[in-house]
Coordinates of all heavy atoms in Angstrom, one line a residue:
V1 N -13.2 -1.6 -21.2 CA -11.8 -1.1 -21.2 C -11.3 -1.2 -22.6 O -11.4 -2.2 -23.3 CB -10.9 -2.0 -20.3 CG1 -9.5 -1.6 -20.3 CG2 -11.5 -2.1 -18.9
T2 N -10.6 -0.1 -23.0 CA -10.1 0.0 -24.4 C -9.1 1.1 -24.5 O -8.8 1.9 -23.7 CB -11.3 0.3 -25.4 OG1 -10.9 0.2 -26.7 CG2 -11.9 1.7 -25.1
R3 N -8.4 1.0 -25.7 CA -7.5 2.1 -26.0 C -8.3 3.0 -27.0 O -9.2 2.5 -27.6 CB -6.2 1.6 -26.8 CG -5.2 0.9 -25.9 CD -4.1 0.4 -26.7 NE -3.2 1.6 -26.9 CZ -1.9 1.5 -26.8 NH1 -1.3 0.4 -26.7 NH2 -1.1 2.6 -27.0
L4 N -7.8 4.3 -27.0 CA -8.7 5.2 -27.8 C -7.7 6.2 -28.4 O -6.8 6.7 -27.9 CB -9.7 5.9 -26.9 CG -10.5 7.0 -27.5 CD1 -11.5 6.4 -28.5 CD2 -11.3 7.7 -26.5
K5 N -8.1 6.5 -29.7 CA -7.3 7.6 -30.4 C -8.4 8.7 -30.8 O -9.4 8.4 -31.4 CB -6.6 7.1 -31.6 CG -5.6 8.0 -32.2 CD -4.9 7.4 -33.5 CE -3.9 6.5 -33.0 NZ -3.0 6.1 -34.2
L6 N -8.1 9.9 -30.4 CA -9.0 11.0 -30.7 C -8.2 12.0 -31.6 O -7.0 12.2 -31.4 CB -9.4 11.8 -29.5 CG -10.3 11.0 -28.4 CD1 -10.5 11.9 -27.2 CD2 -11.6 10.6 -29.1
F7 N -8.9 12.6 -32.5 CA -8.3 13.7 -33.3 C -8.5 15.0 -32.6 O -9.7 15.4 -32.5 CB -8.7 13.7 -34.8 CG -8.0 14.7 -35.6 CD1 -6.6 14.5 -35.9 CD2 -8.6 15.9 -36.0 CE1 -5.9 15.4 -36.7 CE2 -7.9 16.8 -36.7 CZ -6.6 16.6 -37.1
D8 N -7.5 15.7 -32.3 CA -7.6 17.0 -31.6 C -7.4 18.1 -32.7 O -6.3 18.6 -33.0 CB -6.4 17.1 -30.6 CG -6.3 18.4 -29.9 OD1 -7.3 19.2 -30.1 OD2 -5.4 18.6 -29.1
D9 N -8.5 18.5 -33.3 CA -8.5 19.5 -34.4 C -8.2 20.9 -33.9 O -7.7 21.7 -34.7 CB -9.8 19.4 -35.2 CG -11.0 19.6 -34.3 OD1 -11.0 19.2 -33.1 OD2 -12.0 20.2 -34.8
K10 N -8.4 21.2 -32.6 CA -8.1 22.5 -32.1 C -6.7 22.7 -31.5 O -6.3 23.8 -31.0 CB -9.2 22.9 -31.0 CG -10.6 23.0 -31.6 CD -11.5 23.3 -30.5 CE -12.9 23.4 -31.1 NZ -13.9 23.7 -30.0
G11 N -6.0 21.6 -31.4 CA -4.6 21.7 -30.8 C -4.6 21.9 -29.3 O -3.7 22.5 -28.7
I12 N -5.6 21.3 -28.6 CA -5.7 21.4 -27.1 C -4.6 20.8 -26.4 O -4.0 21.4 -25.5 CB -7.1 20.8 -26.7 CG1 -8.3 21.6 -27.2 CG2 -7.1 20.7 -25.1 CD1 -9.6 21.0 -27.0
V13 N -4.1 19.6 -26.9 CA -3.1 18.8 -26.1 C -1.7 19.3 -26.5 O -0.9 19.6 -25.7 CB -3.3 17.4 -26.4 CG1 -2.2 16.6 -25.7 CG2 -4.7 16.9 -25.8
Y14 N -1.5 19.4 -27.8 CA -0.1 19.6 -28.3 C 0.2 21.0 -29.0 O 1.2 21.2 -29.5 CB 0.4 18.5 -29.2 CG 0.4 17.2 -28.6 CD1 -0.4 16.1 -29.0 CD2 1.2 16.9 -27.4 CE1 -0.5 14.9 -28.4 CE2 1.1 15.6 -26.8 CZ 0.3 14.7 -27.3 OH 0.3 13.4 -26.7
G15 N -0.9 21.8 -29.0 CA -0.7 23.1 -29.6 C -1.0 23.1 -31.1 O -0.9 24.2 -31.7
E16 N -1.3 22.0 -31.7 CA -1.5 22.0 -33.1 C -2.4 20.7 -33.3 O -2.4 19.8 -32.5 CB -0.3 21.9 -34.0 CG 0.6 20.7 -33.7 CD 1.9 20.7 -34.4 OE1 2.5 21.8 -34.5 OE2 2.2 19.6 -34.9
P17 N -3.2 20.7 -34.4 CA -4.0 19.5 -34.7 C -3.2 18.2 -34.8 O -2.1 18.2 -35.4 CB -4.6 19.9 -36.1 CG -4.6 21.3 -36.1 CD -3.4 21.8 -35.4
S18 N -3.6 17.2 -34.0 CA -2.9 16.0 -34.1 C -3.8 14.9 -33.4 O -4.8 15.1 -32.8 CB -1.6 16.1 -33.2 OG -1.9 16.5 -31.9
D19 N -3.3 13.6 -33.7 CA -4.0 12.5 -33.1 C -3.5 12.3 -31.7 O -2.3 12.5 -31.4 CB -3.6 11.2 -33.9 CG -4.3 11.0 -35.1 OD1 -5.6 11.4 -35.2 OD2 -3.8 10.5 -36.1
V20 N -4.3 12.0 -30.7 CA -4.0 11.9 -29.3 C -4.4 10.5 -28.9 O -5.5 10.1 -29.1 CB -4.7 12.9 -28.4 CG1 -4.4 12.7 -26.9 CG2 -4.2 14.4 -28.9
E21 N -3.5 9.7 -28.4 CA -3.7 8.4 -28.0 C -3.9 8.3 -26.5 O -3.2 8.8 -25.7 CB -2.6 7.5 -28.4 CG -2.9 6.0 -28.2 CD -1.8 5.1 -28.9 OE1 -1.4 5.4 -30.0 OE2 -1.4 4.2 -28.2
I22 N -5.0 7.6 -26.1 CA -5.3 7.4 -24.7 C -4.9 6.0 -24.4 O -5.4 5.0 -25.0 CB -6.8 7.7 -24.4 CG1 -7.1 9.2 -24.6 CG2 -7.1 7.3 -22.9 CD1 -8.5 9.6 -24.4
D23 N -4.0 5.8 -23.4 CA -3.5 4.4 -23.1 C -4.6 3.4 -22.7 O -4.7 2.3 -23.2 CB -2.5 4.5 -22.0 CG -1.2 5.1 -22.5 OD1 -0.9 5.2 -23.7 OD2 -0.5 5.7 -21.6
L24 N -5.4 3.9 -21.9 CA -6.5 3.0 -21.3 C -7.7 3.9 -21.0 O -7.6 4.9 -20.3 CB -6.0 2.3 -20.1 CG -6.8 1.3 -19.4 CD1 -7.0 0.1 -20.3 CD2 -6.1 0.8 -18.2
L25 N -8.8 3.5 -21.5 CA -10.1 4.1 -21.2 C -11.0 3.1 -20.6 O -11.3 2.0 -21.1 CB -10.8 4.7 -22.5 CG -12.2 5.3 -22.3 CD1 -12.1 6.5 -21.4 CD2 -12.8 5.6 -23.7
I26 N -11.5 3.4 -19.3 CA -12.4 2.5 -18.7 C -13.8 3.3 -18.6 O -13.8 4.4 -18.0 CB -12.0 2.2 -17.3 CG1 -10.6 1.6 -17.4 CG2 -12.9 1.3 -16.5 CD1 -9.8 1.4 -16.0
R27 N -14.8 2.7 -19.2 CA -16.2 3.3 -19.1 C -17.1 2.5 -18.4 O -17.3 1.3 -18.7 CB -16.7 3.5 -20.5 CG -15.9 4.7 -21.2 CD -16.4 4.8 -22.6 NE -16.2 3.6 -23.4 CZ -16.6 3.4 -24.6 NH1 -17.3 4.3 -25.2 NH2 -16.3 2.3 -25.2
D28 N -17.7 3.0 -17.4 CA -18.8 2.4 -16.7 C -19.7 3.5 -16.3 O -20.0 4.3 -17.1 CB -18.2 1.7 -15.4 CG -19.2 0.6 -14.9 OD1 -20.3 0.4 -15.4 OD2 -18.8 0.0 -13.8
N29 N -20.0 3.7 -15.1 CA -20.7 4.9 -14.6 C -19.8 6.1 -14.7 O -20.3 7.3 -14.8 CB -21.3 4.7 -13.2 CG -22.4 3.7 -13.1 OD1 -23.1 3.4 -14.1 ND2 -22.5 3.0 -12.0
V30 N -18.5 5.9 -14.5 CA -17.5 6.9 -14.6 C -16.6 6.6 -15.7 O -16.1 5.5 -15.8 CB -16.7 7.0 -13.2 CG1 -15.7 8.0 -13.3 CG2 -17.7 7.2 -12.0
H31 N -16.2 7.6 -16.5 CA -15.3 7.4 -17.5 C -13.9 7.7 -16.9 O -13.7 8.8 -16.3 CB -15.5 8.4 -18.7 CG -16.8 8.1 -19.4 ND1 -16.8 8.1 -20.8 CD2 -18.0 7.7 -19.0 CE1 -18.0 7.7 -21.2 NE2 -18.8 7.6 -20.1
M32 N -12.9 6.8 -17.1 CA -11.6 7.0 -16.5 C -10.6 7.0 -17.6 O -10.5 6.0 -18.3 CB -11.3 5.9 -15.5 CG -12.2 5.9 -14.3 SD -11.9 4.6 -13.1 CE -13.2 3.6 -13.6
V33 N -9.8 8.0 -17.7 CA -8.7 8.0 -18.6 C -7.4 7.7 -17.9 O -7.0 8.4 -16.9 CB -8.6 9.5 -19.3 CG1 -7.3 9.6 -20.1 CG2 -9.8 9.7 -20.2
V34 N -6.7 6.6 -18.3 CA -5.5 6.2 -17.6 C -4.3 6.4 -18.4 O -4.3 5.9 -19.6 CB -5.7 4.7 -17.1 CG1 -4.5 4.2 -16.4 CG2 -7.0 4.5 -16.4
E35 N -3.3 7.1 -17.9 CA -2.0 7.2 -18.6 C -1.0 6.3 -17.9 O -0.8 6.3 -16.7 CB -1.6 8.7 -18.5 CG -0.3 9.0 -19.3 CD -0.5 9.0 -20.8 OE1 -1.6 9.1 -21.3 OE2 0.5 8.9 -21.5
V36 N -0.3 5.5 -18.7 CA 0.7 4.5 -18.2 C 2.0 5.0 -18.7 O 2.2 5.1 -20.0 CB 0.4 3.1 -18.6 CG1 1.4 2.1 -18.1 CG2 -1.0 2.7 -18.3
K37 N 2.9 5.3 -17.8 CA 4.3 5.8 -18.2 C 5.3 5.1 -17.3 O 5.1 4.7 -16.2 CB 4.4 7.3 -17.9 CG 3.5 8.2 -18.7 CD 4.3 8.8 -19.8 CE 3.5 9.8 -20.5 NZ 4.0 10.2 -21.7
A38 N 6.5 4.9 -18.0 CA 7.6 4.4 -17.2 C 8.1 5.3 -16.1 O 8.5 4.9 -15.0 CB 8.8 4.0 -18.1
R39 N 8.1 6.6 -16.4 CA 8.5 7.6 -15.4 C 7.7 8.9 -15.7 O 7.5 9.2 -16.8 CB 9.9 8.0 -15.6 CG 10.5 9.0 -14.6 CD 12.0 9.2 -14.8 NE 12.5 10.2 -13.9 CZ 12.5 11.5 -14.2 NH1 12.0 11.9 -15.4 NH2 12.9 12.4 -13.3
V40 N 7.1 9.5 -14.6 CA 6.3 10.7 -14.8 C 7.0 11.9 -14.3 O 7.5 12.0 -13.2 CB 5.0 10.5 -14.1 CG1 4.1 11.7 -14.2 CG2 4.2 9.2 -14.7
Q41 N 6.9 13.0 -15.2 CA 7.4 14.3 -14.8 C 6.2 15.3 -14.8 O 5.1 14.9 -15.3 CB 8.5 14.8 -15.8 CG 9.7 13.9 -15.7 CD 10.7 14.4 -16.8 OE1 10.4 14.8 -17.8 NE2 12.0 14.3 -16.4
K42 N 6.4 16.5 -14.3 CA 5.3 17.4 -14.3 C 4.6 17.7 -15.7 O 3.4 17.8 -15.8 CB 5.8 18.7 -13.7 CG 4.6 19.7 -13.3 CD 5.2 20.9 -12.5 CE 4.0 21.8 -12.2 NZ 4.5 23.0 -11.5
S43 N 5.5 17.7 -16.7 CA 4.9 17.9 -18.0 C 3.9 16.8 -18.5 O 3.0 17.0 -19.2 CB 6.0 18.0 -19.1 OG 6.8 16.9 -19.1
D44 N 4.1 15.6 -18.0 CA 3.2 14.5 -18.2 C 1.9 14.7 -17.6 O 0.8 14.3 -18.2 CB 3.8 13.1 -17.8 CG 5.2 12.8 -18.5 OD1 5.2 12.9 -19.8 OD2 6.1 12.5 -17.8
V45 N 1.9 15.3 -16.4 CA 0.7 15.6 -15.7 C -0.1 16.6 -16.5 O -1.4 16.5 -16.7 CB 1.0 16.0 -14.3 CG1 -0.3 16.4 -13.5 CG2 1.7 14.9 -13.5
T46 N 0.6 17.7 -16.9 CA 0.0 18.7 -17.7 C -0.6 18.1 -19.0 O -1.8 18.5 -19.4 CB 1.0 19.8 -18.1 OG1 1.5 20.4 -16.9 CG2 0.4 20.9 -18.9
E47 N 0.1 17.2 -19.7 CA -0.4 16.6 -20.9 C -1.7 15.8 -20.6 O -2.7 15.9 -21.3 CB 0.7 15.6 -21.5 CG 0.2 14.9 -22.7 CD 1.2 14.0 -23.2 OE1 2.4 14.0 -22.7 OE2 0.9 13.3 -24.2
L48 N -1.7 15.1 -19.5 CA -2.9 14.3 -19.1 C -4.1 15.3 -18.8 O -5.2 15.0 -19.2 CB -2.6 13.5 -17.9 CG -3.9 12.6 -17.4 CD1 -4.3 11.7 -18.6 CD2 -3.5 11.7 -16.2
L49 N -3.9 16.4 -18.2 CA -5.0 17.4 -18.0 C -5.5 17.8 -19.3 O -6.7 17.9 -19.4 CB -4.4 18.5 -17.1 CG -4.1 18.3 -15.7 CD1 -3.3 19.4 -15.0 CD2 -5.4 18.1 -14.9
R50 N -4.7 18.1 -20.2 CA -5.2 18.6 -21.5 C -5.9 17.5 -22.3 O -6.9 17.7 -22.9 CB -4.0 19.0 -22.4 CG -3.4 20.3 -21.9 CD -2.2 20.8 -22.7 NE -1.6 22.0 -22.1 CZ -0.4 22.4 -22.4 NH1 0.3 21.7 -23.2 NH2 0.0 23.5 -21.8
I51 N -5.5 16.2 -22.1 CA -6.2 15.1 -22.7 C -7.6 15.0 -22.1 O -8.6 14.7 -22.8 CB -5.4 13.8 -22.5 CG1 -4.1 13.8 -23.4 CG2 -6.2 12.5 -22.8 CD1 -3.1 12.6 -23.2
G52 N -7.7 15.2 -20.8 CA -9.0 15.2 -20.1 C -9.9 16.3 -20.7 O -11.1 16.0 -20.9
V53 N -9.4 17.4 -21.0 CA -10.2 18.5 -21.6 C -10.7 18.1 -23.0 O -11.8 18.3 -23.3 CB -9.4 19.9 -21.7 CG1 -10.1 20.9 -22.5 CG2 -9.1 20.4 -20.3
L54 N -9.8 17.5 -23.8 CA -10.1 17.1 -25.1 C -11.2 16.0 -25.0 O -12.1 16.0 -25.8 CB -8.9 16.5 -25.8 CG -9.0 15.9 -27.1 CD1 -9.6 16.9 -28.2 CD2 -7.8 15.2 -27.7
Y55 N -11.0 15.0 -24.1 CA -12.0 13.9 -24.0 C -13.4 14.5 -23.7 O -14.4 14.1 -24.2 CB -11.5 12.9 -22.9 CG -12.4 11.7 -22.8 CD1 -12.2 10.6 -23.6 CD2 -13.5 11.7 -21.9 CE1 -13.1 9.5 -23.5 CE2 -14.4 10.6 -21.9 CZ -14.2 9.5 -22.6 OH -15.0 8.5 -22.6
E56 N -13.4 15.4 -22.7 CA -14.7 16.0 -22.3 C -15.3 16.7 -23.5 O -16.5 16.7 -23.7 CB -14.5 17.0 -21.2 CG -15.8 17.6 -20.6 CD -15.6 18.4 -19.4 OE1 -14.5 18.6 -18.9 OE2 -16.6 18.8 -18.8
E57 N -14.5 17.5 -24.3 CA -15.0 18.2 -25.4 C -15.6 17.2 -26.5 O -16.6 17.4 -27.1 CB -14.0 19.1 -26.1 CG -14.5 19.8 -27.3 CD -13.4 20.8 -27.8 OE1 -13.0 21.7 -27.1 OE2 -13.1 20.6 -29.0
K58 N -14.8 16.1 -26.8 CA -15.3 15.2 -27.8 C -16.4 14.2 -27.4 O -17.3 13.9 -28.2 CB -14.0 14.3 -28.2 CG -13.0 15.1 -28.9 CD -13.4 15.5 -30.3 CE -12.2 16.2 -31.0 NZ -12.6 16.6 -32.4
R59 N -16.4 13.9 -26.1 CA -17.3 12.8 -25.6 C -18.5 13.4 -24.7 O -19.4 12.7 -24.4 CB -16.6 11.7 -24.9 CG -15.6 11.0 -25.7 CD -16.3 10.3 -26.9 NE -15.3 9.8 -27.9 CZ -15.2 8.5 -28.1 NH1 -15.9 7.6 -27.5 NH2 -14.3 8.1 -29.0
G60 N -18.3 14.6 -24.3 CA -19.3 15.3 -23.5 C -19.3 14.8 -22.0 O -20.3 15.0 -21.3
V61 N -18.3 14.1 -21.6 CA -18.2 13.6 -20.2 C -16.9 13.9 -19.7 O -15.9 13.8 -20.3 CB -18.4 12.0 -20.2 CG1 -18.2 11.5 -18.8 CG2 -19.7 11.6 -20.9
K62 N -16.9 14.5 -18.4 CA -15.6 14.9 -17.7 C -15.1 13.5 -17.2 O -15.7 12.9 -16.3 CB -15.9 15.9 -16.6 CG -14.6 16.3 -16.0 CD -14.9 17.4 -14.9 CE -13.7 17.8 -14.2 NZ -12.9 18.9 -14.9
P63 N -13.9 13.1 -17.6 CA -13.3 11.9 -17.1 C -12.6 12.0 -15.8 O -12.1 13.1 -15.5 CB -12.4 11.4 -18.2 CG -11.8 12.8 -18.7 CD -13.1 13.7 -18.6
R64 N -12.5 10.9 -15.1 CA -11.6 10.9 -13.9 C -10.2 10.5 -14.5 O -10.1 9.7 -15.4 CB -12.0 9.7 -13.0 CG -11.1 9.6 -11.8 CD -11.6 8.6 -10.8 NE -12.9 9.0 -10.3 CZ -13.7 8.2 -9.7 NH1 -13.5 6.9 -9.6 NH2 -14.8 8.7 -9.3
L65 N -9.2 11.2 -14.1 CA -7.8 11.1 -14.6 C -7.0 10.2 -13.7 O -6.9 10.5 -12.5 CB -7.2 12.4 -14.9 CG -8.0 13.4 -15.8 CD1 -7.3 14.7 -16.0 CD2 -8.2 12.7 -17.2
I66 N -6.2 9.3 -14.3 CA -5.4 8.4 -13.5 C -4.0 8.2 -14.1 O -4.0 8.1 -15.3 CB -6.1 7.0 -13.4 CG1 -7.4 7.1 -12.7 CG2 -5.2 6.0 -12.6 CD1 -8.3 5.9 -12.8
I67 N -3.0 8.2 -13.3 CA -1.6 8.0 -13.7 C -1.1 6.7 -13.1 O -1.3 6.5 -11.9 CB -0.7 9.1 -13.5 CG1 -1.0 10.4 -14.3 CG2 0.8 8.7 -13.7 CD1 -0.2 11.6 -13.9
V68 N -0.6 5.8 -13.9 CA 0.0 4.6 -13.4 C 1.5 4.6 -13.8 O 1.8 4.6 -15.0 CB -0.7 3.3 -13.9 CG1 0.0 2.0 -13.4 CG2 -2.1 3.3 -13.5
S69 N 2.4 4.5 -12.9 CA 3.8 4.6 -13.2 C 4.7 4.0 -12.1 O 4.3 4.2 -10.9 CB 4.3 6.0 -13.5 OG 5.6 6.1 -13.7
P70 N 5.7 3.3 -12.3 CA 6.6 2.8 -11.3 C 7.3 3.9 -10.6 O 7.7 3.8 -9.4 CB 7.5 1.8 -11.9 CG 7.5 2.2 -13.4 CD 6.2 2.8 -13.6
T71 N 7.6 5.0 -11.3 CA 8.3 6.2 -10.7 C 7.7 7.4 -11.1 O 7.4 7.7 -12.3 CB 9.8 6.1 -11.2 OG1 10.3 4.8 -11.0 CG2 10.7 7.1 -10.5
I72 N 7.7 8.4 -10.2 CA 7.1 9.7 -10.4 C 7.9 10.8 -9.7 O 8.4 10.6 -8.5 CB 5.6 9.8 -10.0 CG1 5.0 11.2 -10.5 CG2 5.4 9.6 -8.5 CD1 3.5 11.3 -10.4
D73 N 8.2 11.9 -10.4 CA 9.0 13.0 -9.8 C 8.1 13.6 -8.7 O 6.9 13.7 -8.8 CB 9.2 14.0 -11.0 CG 9.9 15.2 -10.5 OD1 11.2 15.1 -10.4 OD2 9.3 16.2 -10.2
K74 N 8.7 14.0 -7.6 CA 8.0 14.6 -6.4 C 7.1 15.8 -6.9 O 6.0 15.9 -6.4 CB 9.0 15.0 -5.3 CG 8.4 15.8 -4.2 CD 7.9 15.0 -3.1 CE 7.6 15.8 -1.9 NZ 6.2 16.2 -1.7
K75 N 7.6 16.7 -7.7 CA 6.9 17.8 -8.2 C 5.7 17.4 -9.0 O 4.6 18.0 -8.9 CB 7.7 18.8 -8.9 CG 8.8 19.6 -8.1 CD 9.6 20.5 -8.9 CE 10.6 21.1 -8.1 NZ 11.5 22.0 -8.8
A76 N 5.9 16.4 -9.8 CA 4.8 15.9 -10.6 C 3.7 15.3 -9.8 O 2.5 15.4 -10.0 CB 5.3 14.8 -11.6
Y77 N 4.1 14.5 -8.7 CA 3.2 13.9 -7.8 C 2.4 15.0 -7.0 O 1.1 14.9 -7.0 CB 3.9 13.0 -6.8 CG 2.9 12.4 -5.8 CD1 2.3 11.2 -6.1 CD2 2.7 12.9 -4.6 CE1 1.4 10.6 -5.2 CE2 1.8 12.4 -3.7 CZ 1.1 11.2 -4.0 OH 0.3 10.6 -3.1
D78 N 3.0 15.9 -6.6 CA 2.3 17.0 -5.8 C 1.3 17.7 -6.7 O 0.2 18.1 -6.3 CB 3.3 18.0 -5.2 CG 4.1 17.4 -4.1 OD1 3.8 16.3 -3.6 OD2 5.2 18.0 -3.8
F79 N 1.8 18.0 -8.0 CA 0.9 18.7 -9.0 C -0.3 17.8 -9.3 O -1.5 18.3 -9.4 CB 1.7 19.0 -10.2 CG 1.0 19.9 -11.2 CD1 0.4 21.0 -11.0 CD2 0.9 19.4 -12.6 CE1 -0.3 21.8 -11.9 CE2 0.3 20.1 -13.5 CZ -0.3 21.3 -13.2
A80 N -0.1 16.6 -9.5 CA -1.2 15.6 -9.8 C -2.2 15.6 -8.7 O -3.4 15.7 -8.9 CB -0.7 14.2 -10.1
V81 N -1.7 15.5 -7.5 CA -2.6 15.5 -6.3 C -3.4 16.8 -6.3 O -4.7 16.7 -6.0 CB -1.9 15.2 -5.0 CG1 -2.7 15.4 -3.8 CG2 -1.3 13.8 -5.0
E82 N -2.7 17.9 -6.5 CA -3.4 19.2 -6.5 C -4.5 19.3 -7.5 O -5.6 19.9 -7.3 CB -2.3 20.3 -6.7 CG -2.9 21.7 -6.8 CD -1.8 22.6 -7.3 OE1 -0.6 22.5 -6.8 OE2 -2.1 23.5 -8.1
K83 N -4.3 18.6 -8.6 CA -5.3 18.6 -9.8 C -6.3 17.5 -9.7 O -7.0 17.3 -10.7 CB -4.6 18.7 -11.1 CG -3.7 19.9 -11.3 CD -4.6 21.1 -11.3 CE -3.7 22.4 -11.6 NZ -4.5 23.6 -11.6
N84 N -6.3 16.8 -8.6 CA -7.3 15.7 -8.4 C -7.1 14.5 -9.3 O -8.0 13.9 -9.8 CB -8.7 16.2 -8.4 CG -9.7 15.3 -7.7 OD1 -9.3 14.7 -6.7 ND2 -10.9 15.3 -8.1
I85 N -5.8 14.2 -9.7 CA -5.5 13.1 -10.5 C -5.0 12.0 -9.5 O -4.1 12.2 -8.7 CB -4.4 13.4 -11.5 CG1 -4.9 14.4 -12.5 CG2 -3.9 12.2 -12.2 CD1 -3.8 15.0 -13.4
K86 N -5.6 10.8 -9.7 CA -5.2 9.6 -8.8 C -3.9 9.1 -9.4 O -3.8 8.9 -10.6 CB -6.3 8.6 -9.0 CG -6.1 7.4 -8.1 CD -6.2 7.8 -6.6 CE -6.0 6.5 -5.7 NZ -5.9 6.8 -4.4
V87 N -2.9 8.8 -8.5 CA -1.6 8.3 -8.9 C -1.4 7.0 -8.3 O -1.5 6.8 -7.0 CB -0.5 9.3 -8.5 CG1 0.8 8.7 -8.8 CG2 -0.7 10.7 -9.1
Y88 N -1.0 6.0 -9.1 CA -0.6 4.7 -8.6 C 0.8 4.5 -9.0 O 1.3 4.5 -10.1 CB -1.4 3.6 -9.3 CG -2.9 3.6 -8.9 CD1 -3.8 4.3 -9.7 CD2 -3.3 3.0 -7.7 CE1 -5.2 4.4 -9.3 CE2 -4.6 3.1 -7.3 CZ -5.5 3.7 -8.1 OH -6.9 3.8 -7.7
T89 N 1.7 4.4 -7.9 CA 3.2 4.4 -8.2 C 3.8 3.5 -7.1 O 3.3 3.2 -6.1 CB 3.8 5.8 -8.2 OG1 5.1 5.7 -8.6 CG2 3.7 6.4 -6.8
Y90 N 5.1 3.1 -7.5 CA 5.9 2.3 -6.5 C 6.8 3.3 -5.8 O 7.0 3.1 -4.6 CB 6.6 1.3 -7.3 CG 7.6 0.5 -6.5 CD1 7.1 -0.4 -5.5 CD2 9.0 0.7 -6.5 CE1 8.0 -1.2 -4.7 CE2 9.8 0.0 -5.7 CZ 9.4 -0.9 -4.8 OH 10.2 -1.6 -4.0
A91 N 7.5 4.2 -6.5 CA 8.5 5.0 -5.9 C 8.3 6.5 -6.3 O 8.0 6.7 -7.5 CB 9.9 4.5 -6.2
M92 N 8.6 7.4 -5.5 CA 8.6 8.8 -5.8 C 10.0 9.3 -5.8 O 10.8 9.1 -4.9 CB 7.8 9.6 -4.8 CG 7.5 11.0 -5.3 SD 6.5 11.9 -4.1 CE 5.6 10.7 -3.2
E93 N 10.4 10.0 -6.9 CA 11.8 10.6 -6.9 C 11.7 11.9 -6.2 O 10.9 12.8 -6.5 CB 12.2 10.8 -8.5 CG 12.4 9.6 -9.2 CD 12.8 9.8 -10.6 OE1 12.9 11.0 -11.0 OE2 13.0 8.8 -11.3
T94 N 12.7 12.1 -5.3 CA 12.7 13.3 -4.5 C 13.7 14.3 -5.0 O 13.6 15.5 -4.6 CB 13.0 13.0 -3.0 OG1 14.2 12.3 -2.9 CG2 11.8 12.1 -2.4
S95 N 14.6 14.0 -5.8 CA 15.5 14.9 -6.5 C 15.8 14.5 -7.9 O 15.6 13.3 -8.2 CB 16.8 14.9 -5.6 OG 17.4 13.7 -5.7
R96 N 16.2 15.4 -8.7 CA 16.6 15.2 -10.1 C 18.1 15.0 -10.1 O 18.8 15.7 -9.5 CB 16.1 16.3 -10.9 CG 14.6 16.4 -10.9 CD 14.2 17.5 -11.8 NE 13.5 16.9 -13.0 CZ 13.2 17.6 -14.0 NH1 13.2 18.9 -14.0 NH2 12.6 17.0 -15.0
T97 N 18.5 14.0 -11.0 CA 19.9 13.9 -11.2 C 20.3 14.1 -12.6 O 19.5 14.2 -13.5 CB 20.4 12.5 -10.8 OG1 19.6 11.5 -11.6 CG2 20.2 12.2 -9.3

């Protein structure tokens, strides 16, 4: 289990070359990229998907993607499930204020 910083020279994640930080990386038989956020919106799910692509390109292994957050937007949750991202949360927001 570790934190990891990768340099994205192709701009896969943010559209321009930049450092990308992975909150938590668990490597065993399966590589797991874990994103920890206070609140998750759909754009956070998209960012994690791009981080997964970058990780696979740099390390040659397709990672399992995981989100850990106390609160997640309903649209974000549905999108994450659709994209096969495991979500650990306490509460789901059903409407935006």
Side-chain angles (χ1 to χ4, degrees):
V1 177
T2 186
R3 285 182 81 139
L4 178 66
K5 192 180 280 190
L6 296 174
F7 184 69
D8 179 7
D9 55 329
K10 295 180 181 176
I12 294 169
V13 178
Y14 300 118
E16 60 184 44
S18 58
D19 285 323
V20 176
E21 192 171 310
I22 294 174
D23 291 337
L24 184 63
L25 172 66
I26 303 168
R27 289 179 295 175
D28 198 1
N29 292 333
V30 177
H31 291 226
M32 293 178 261
V33 171
V34 181
E35 184 71 20
V36 180
K37 295 259 187 195
R39 180 176 180 272
V40 176
Q41 297 178 324
K42 193 172 179 182
S43 60
D44 299 313
V45 176
T46 300
E47 179 181 356
L48 181 58
L49 288 167
R50 291 178 182 162
I51 290 171
V53 170
L54 175 65
Y55 184 87
E56 184 174 4
E57 182 175 298
K58 295 288 186 177
R59 300 296 169 118
V61 177
K62 184 177 179 85
R64 180 176 296 160
L65 302 177
I66 300 169
I67 292 174
V68 177
S69 177
T71 310
I72 186 168
D73 181 83
K74 170 88 168 96
K75 289 180 182 178
Y77 179 84
D78 292 344
F79 184 54
V81 169
E82 174 187 322
K83 296 298 183 180
N84 203 31
I85 296 173
K86 183 71 176 170
V87 178
Y88 294 94
T89 188
Y90 176 73
M92 191 177 337
E93 294 180 359
T94 56
S95 63
R96 297 180 108 180
T97 53

